[in-house]
């Protein structure tokens, strides 16, 4: 049995666990449900994510392990389709859900890129917990925010978190602790994923 730890958790930080395995047909699966005991699998653990109310701000985002292999095809497809950089998509996924397919925020955002039900409906995302659909929907929404804010990544990611109306009302990044922390976290992860060639 292959067991691989991809992240170290701080004692005060909530963790997420994902299993990766390849079935008899050669299909790679990512799931939060432990596979059968006779199935070889890899285990990944991640630090906290944006929608986790137990997430500690003491996490050093300069040091958290990056995940450059998960959902590679889905991210590549979405990046090409909506003209958004793969490292930025990965930064959003990492910050939003720590790559947890089943992540759900207290406010109702769901899946890898934490789409709200209204956004899911607007973008025709049938199943928010389907990685391909969620990543495509989240990337499409991010692409809209980038276009609306002239390609400014800080403003686009602030809008992704707080809504474009909040960014417009405040003439920039809204003065919300959550949003300012979110933009800071995205900047770090985006830079690191770019440097890693992800």
């Amino acid at each position: 049995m292959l067991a691989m730890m991809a992240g170290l958790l701080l004692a005060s930080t909530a963790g997420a666990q994902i299993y990766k395995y390849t079935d008899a047909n050669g299909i790679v699966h990512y799931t939060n449900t432990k596979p059968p005991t006779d199935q070889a699998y890899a285990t990944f653990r991640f630090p906290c994510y944006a929608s986790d109310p137990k997430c500690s701000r003491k996490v050093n985002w300069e040091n958290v392990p990056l995940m450059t292999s998960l959902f590679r095809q889905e991210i590549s497809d979405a990046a090409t389709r909506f003209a958004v950089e793969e490292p930025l998509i990965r930064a959003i996924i990492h910050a939003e859900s720590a790559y947890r397919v089943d992540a759900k925020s207290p406010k109702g955002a769901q899946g890898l890129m934490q789409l709200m039900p209204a956004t899911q409906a607007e973008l025709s995302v049938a199943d928010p917990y389907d990685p391909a659909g969620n990543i495509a929907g989240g990337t499409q929404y991010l692409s809209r925010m980038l276009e609306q804010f002239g390609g400014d990544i800080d403003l686009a990611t602030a809008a992704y978190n707080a809504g474009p109306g909040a960014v417009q009302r405040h003439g920039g990044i809204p003065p919300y602790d959550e949003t300012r922390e979110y933009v800071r976290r995205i900047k770090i992860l985006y830079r690191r994923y770019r440097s890693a060639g992800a």
Side-chain angles (χ1 to χ4, degrees), residues 8-161:
L8 298 175
L9 299 175
L10 297 176
S12 62
T13 304
Q17 184 160 294
I18 291 179
Y19 302 95
K20 173 187 176 183
Y21 69 94
T22 305
D23 67 20
N25 297 316
I27 299 172
V28 177
H29 298 267
Y30 296 95
T31 177
N32 65 322
T33 304
K34 191 172 183 179
T37 55
D38 61 343
Q39 173 71 57
Y41 63 88
T43 304
F44 301 93
R45 289 188 66 83
F46 305 93
C48 67
Y49 52 94
S51 64
D52 184 351
K54 297 177 183 176
C55 179
S56 171
R57 292 191 182 189
K58 295 180 181 178
V59 172
N60 184 345
W61 293 96
E62 294 285 357
N63 294 327
V64 296
L66 301 181
M67 299 306 301
T68 59
S69 61
L70 291 177
F71 310 111
R72 184 172 289 164
Q73 190 61 55
E74 293 88 344
I75 291 171
S76 176
D77 290 348
T80 300
R81 182 177 174 189
F82 299 108
V84 176
E85 291 181 82
E86 289 187 37
L88 183 56
I89 298 171
R90 284 202 176 275
I92 295 285
I93 292 172
H94 198 142
E96 288 285 355
S97 67
Y99 291 86
R100 278 192 63 175
V101 175
D102 66 339
K104 184 173 182 179
S105 78
K107 295 179 181 178
Q110 299 170 309
L112 290 166
M113 295 187 77
Q114 289 292 278
L115 303 177
M116 292 295 286
T119 305
Q120 294 165 30
E122 177 187 343
L123 300 173
S124 300
V125 176
D127 178 2
Y129 299 113
D130 168 59
N134 189 287
I135 291 170
T139 303
Q140 182 179 3
Y141 185 74
L142 178 59
S143 177
R144 290 181 183 178
M145 296 303 100
L146 286 164
E147 182 177 355
Q148 183 170 342
F149 294 101
D152 187 308
I153 291 175
D154 287 354
L155 295 182
T157 54
Y160 193 97
N161 175 263

